[in-house]
Every structure is written in structure tokens, then in C-alpha cells.
Amino acid sequence: MTSPVRHVSRPVARRFMAIRHLLAPPRSLPAEPASVMRVVDRLGSLQFDPLDIAGRNHDLTLLARIAGYRRAWTDALLYESRDLYETYNKQFSLVPTAGLPWFRLTWDRHHVSHSGGAFDEHAPLVEELLEHIRTNGPTSATDLEPRAAIDWYWRPTNPIRAILEALAEAGVLAISRREGNRRIYDLTERLFPAEVLARRPPEDEQRRHLLLSRYRGNGLLGGTGEYTLWMGLGKAPVRLATRDQLIERGDIVPVHVDGFRGPRYVLPDELPLLDQATAELDAEGEADGWRMGRPGGTDAGVAFLAPLDPLAWDRDLLERLWDFDYRWEVYVPLEKRRWGYYVLPLLYGDRFVGRIEPKIDRSAGTLRVLGLWWEAGFDPLDEGNPGFVDAFTDALRAHMAFGGVRKVVMPRTAVHAPLARAVRARLAATPTTIAS
């Protein structure tokens, strides 16, 4: 069935996104492991990246939404209870194990690809590794003597590492646990319930599930956009046909945002959140410059978003809806960076007001803010937003507690000195509590 297209303003769309992303206000979910699954239920999947400068990407995503978040909670869900597991969705991601049958398509495609390539070319090593794991249990690439490097994806690598990775991509192996960023693999059949592994939904059903997970993740995707949004979903004609099936089934609902060509899409159970956003803005009246309203009916809070946070997946949407030009520059050569190595979007209320580059220095017990950049016209000390400094300090305090550090060092520049003094005064008044 099809639904009529709703029309909303850009401010309503921004407010809706803050609410549906559980960021109105930030860190509003209870300080407990169950909150991790609540975030996953809302967003569908969390993108994984191993870099741990200010926290890994999925940890930062959760830290922005859960009070007192601890990375051990997610690790336990991944490697103990196995309510979550690691697979390819939008690149490498954490997804619910209950949805594994609908993500099998990724395993099957990789199995076909590697069966005509790496598995045939390195058949003796494939059997050697599988026999080693059957006999000795969970294994990493460093548990066996390295061999001469082979070409693998974008660089030469140890063939043991490459074949273990290929077997995991194909679903023969899975990640049993991690030690730092070292992957420990085991047979998939040992890690997940047999009834889950035995279930194989039809391929078209799996394709719909995969595509729906992208719309669930971001919350306001359209039909096009940068290629990373749609990786693993086939070429455009197949993907668009699958999208049309989702529309016909009522799994996604078109929404027209003022100033955008073509509809965006939301999940039908989130339409009440659109109504909520509309009602809040009607009650607040027209915004004046950078003055913040009360997203979710609360004072505006500050969140440091992960570079691959689902809210930030669609860089074009960030620019067109928020006038916020964000590019993750971690892989950009130093001389070409505009901002910095690991710079995070800074969300205040339902607006992006700047960027922050935090770094957790555990050896010194310090959260170092290497850089701060504000959007044109936004002043963190403006009397029009009297709550910003408190909200910003709260976000720093949450990040310090997450990192297990007790000090914060702000940028040592004259332009940031007044804010640094204000932050220090607030931190001194209420010292950060470091959870065990």
C-alpha cells in the first residue's frame, strides 16, 4: 500500500532527527547494558571502526545516547551473550544476532566471490586453518607462523590473516572475541544457535531487510546519495526496485522536506515523532538565529557525534538540512585537512554548531581537546544561549568518565580562553565521577 507524501519544513526535519536519534536530550537512556540494545533496536546497526582516539566509532555512538556508557557492556553483548555480532551491513557493523538470517545474503555473496578466487587459489591453507580451529579452538592470525605476503584488497598482507578474514566474510568463521583490535576467530557453528543458522529467508526478503536497515539507521534517507550509503545492496536498478517494494508494503513512508527534490523516507512507526517535532516548534515559535528550543521538551544538550554515527551517514543531508559541511579527514593527508585527524560533529539541541577534536590520553589521565571550531555566527558564550556552557561541560564530563580520566585540557589559544575558564569552573564545582 502507498501513503500520501507528508510535507515538513527544514526545522521540523531537524527536530525530528534529533528526537528519533535519541539525542533529545543526549545521554537520556539509563546507565545499563539494556540501553545498548535499545539503541540498536532504534538504529538497526552500528558501524564499527577500530580507531580508538576518543573512543571507537560504535562506542561514541552509544556514549552520545546512554548515560554512563561503558564499552564493556557492548563487548559483553558481542562476545559473551552474543546478542550482537559483527558482519557487513553499511561496511563493517554490529547488528542483532536475532536478525542474522536476514543478513546471510552478505555471507553468501562473499562465499561465491571467494570460492572463485581466494578459496580456490589457497585451498591447502583454507583447509589447514579450518582444521587448526577445529582442533585448537579460537585462533587469530598471530597464532600461526606468517607466510610470504599476498595481494589482498588494497595492500599486500600475511595470507593467514587474509584467509581468516575471507572465511569470516563468507560466514564460515566469525569473530569469537577481540583482544584490542586483534580478531580471534572460531567456527560460526560454535558461536550461534543452530536454529538461527539454519533459517534462510528468501533472497528478496533479505534484500528488503538490508535496504530497510539503511533507512532505519539514518532516519531520513532519500533514493540516492553517496555510494557508502548503499554498499552491498546491488546496482541502482535493483536497489530502487527493492525500495519500491518497501514503499508498496508500507515499510517506509515518503516525506517531502522543503527545499529538497524528491521524497525522503521514514519508518511508519516514527510518524508520531514527526508530529511531535511539528508540535514542539509550533509551541516555541520562530527561531531567532542560533537560539535553541527544547528538543524533546527538555533543555538543549550537547553531544559529540561519532564520525560514522547514523545521523551523520548522509553527508549531503548534513549540508542541505543543517548547512553543515562535514568530512571525516582521518584518511586525508595532513596538508589537505581543513580541520583535523579525528574531528567530531558537535550537536547542540537539534543544530550542528561546531566541531571538536578530543583525544583520550589515558597515560596522563586526561581528555585533551585538540581543537574547537564553531559555525559562522555561533558564539558559545552568547547570552542568547545561556545553557550552552553547562551542556558542553556535561558532554566533556561524560567523555572523561567514559575514558576513565579526571582532567580535561582545552585548546591553549586566546580565542578559546574564555570558554576554557568557564568549563574549568564548572568542572571544579562538580568533579567527574569515574565509574569502575
Side-chain angles (χ1 to χ4, degrees), residues 24 36 48 68 73 75 77 105 111 186 262 268 278 300 335 358 367 372 436:
V36 175
F48 179 91
W73 297 346
D75 288 347
L77 290 166
L105 190 59
H111 201 290
D186 200 354
T278 302
E335 66 276 8
L367 175 64
L372 277 171
S436 60

Side-chain angles (χ1 to χ4, degrees), residues 131-423:
E131 182 57 31
H132 178 88
I133 292 173
R134 290 189 197 103
T135 303
N136 299 287
T139 298
S140 78
T142 59
D143 291 336
L144 293 94
E145 288 296 321
R147 318 290 167 88
I150 61 172
D151 288 335
W152 187 248
Y153 289 125
W154 56 86
R155 67 181 185 275
T157 195
N158 174 10
I160 294 174
R161 175 187 175 276
I163 298 304
L164 286 173
E165 183 176 302
L167 288 166
E169 289 176 346
V172 179
L173 302 178
I175 296 174
S176 173
R177 67 183 190 277
R178 287 177 182 264
E179 295 178 357
N181 281 323
R182 188 163 67 105
R183 302 179 184 187
I184 315 297
Y185 297 97
D186 200 354
L187 298 173
T188 298
E189 63 204 51
R190 290 175 175 168
L191 300 179
F192 304 111
E195 61 271 19
V196 172
L197 293 175
R199 187 170 183 184
R200 288 180 173 271
E203 185 172 323
D204 61 344
E205 189 176 328
Q206 293 185 53
R207 282 201 307 269
R208 287 195 297 269
H209 181 86
L210 290 173
L211 181 56
L212 182 61
S213 75
R214 309 299 167 87
Y215 286 103
R216 182 184 301 280
N218 178 258
L220 206 58
L221 289 182
T224 59
E226 58 184 272
Y227 80 98
T228 58
L229 293 170
W230 316 112
M231 288 180 66
L233 297 173
K235 295 184 178 180
V238 174
R239 173 171 54 81
L240 294 177
T242 304
R243 182 206 62 188
D244 290 343
Q245 293 174 19
L246 293 176
I247 296 170
E248 288 295 324
R249 290 161 53 94
D251 293 331
I252 57 175
V253 178
V255 173
H256 182 83
V257 181
D258 288 349
F260 283 70
R261 291 183 59 187
R264 317 298 286 191
Y265 299 94
V266 303
L267 274 63
D269 59 2
E270 294 178 351
L271 290 175
L273 301 182
L274 270 180
D275 296 334
Q276 178 183 342
T278 302
E280 287 183 3
L281 289 169
D282 286 346
E284 292 170 12
E286 186 174 351
D288 179 17
W290 286 101
R291 179 178 62 82
M292 294 299 154
R294 290 171 53 81
T298 65
D299 292 338
V302 166
F304 309 147
L305 294 192
L308 302 171
D309 190 290
L311 177 58
W313 278 359
D314 189 345
R315 308 302 200 213
D316 181 60
L317 180 64
L318 290 183
E319 189 163 0
R320 296 172 63 195
L321 187 58
W322 281 277
D323 300 314
F324 187 68
D325 180 12
Y326 177 70
R327 298 293 183 272
W328 193 31
E329 298 182 317
V330 71
Y331 299 116
V332 175
L334 177 62
E335 66 276 8
K336 295 184 179 181
R337 290 179 195 146
R338 295 175 59 194
W339 310 109
Y341 178 71
Y342 206 88
V343 174
L344 311 181
L346 198 156
L347 184 74
Y348 177 40
D350 57 10
R351 303 284 294 280
F352 287 99
V353 300
R355 298 162 174 78
I356 183 170
E357 185 176 12
K359 180 178 181 180
I360 297 173
D361 184 349
R362 292 183 175 85
S363 63
T366 300
L367 175 64
R368 302 187 185 279
V369 179
L370 304 181
L372 277 171
W373 301 266
W374 306 112
E375 290 295 275
F378 180 79
D379 180 351
L381 299 175
D382 193 316
E383 294 180 357
N385 279 305
F388 176 79
V389 177
D390 285 332
F392 180 72
T393 305
D394 285 345
L396 287 173
R397 188 179 286 111
H399 215 111
M400 293 164 64
F402 164 74
V405 302
R406 293 188 178 275
K407 297 187 296 183
V408 61
V409 174
M410 297 285 285
R412 301 182 185 277
T413 58
V415 68
H416 295 307
L419 176 62
R421 286 194 294 270
V423 167

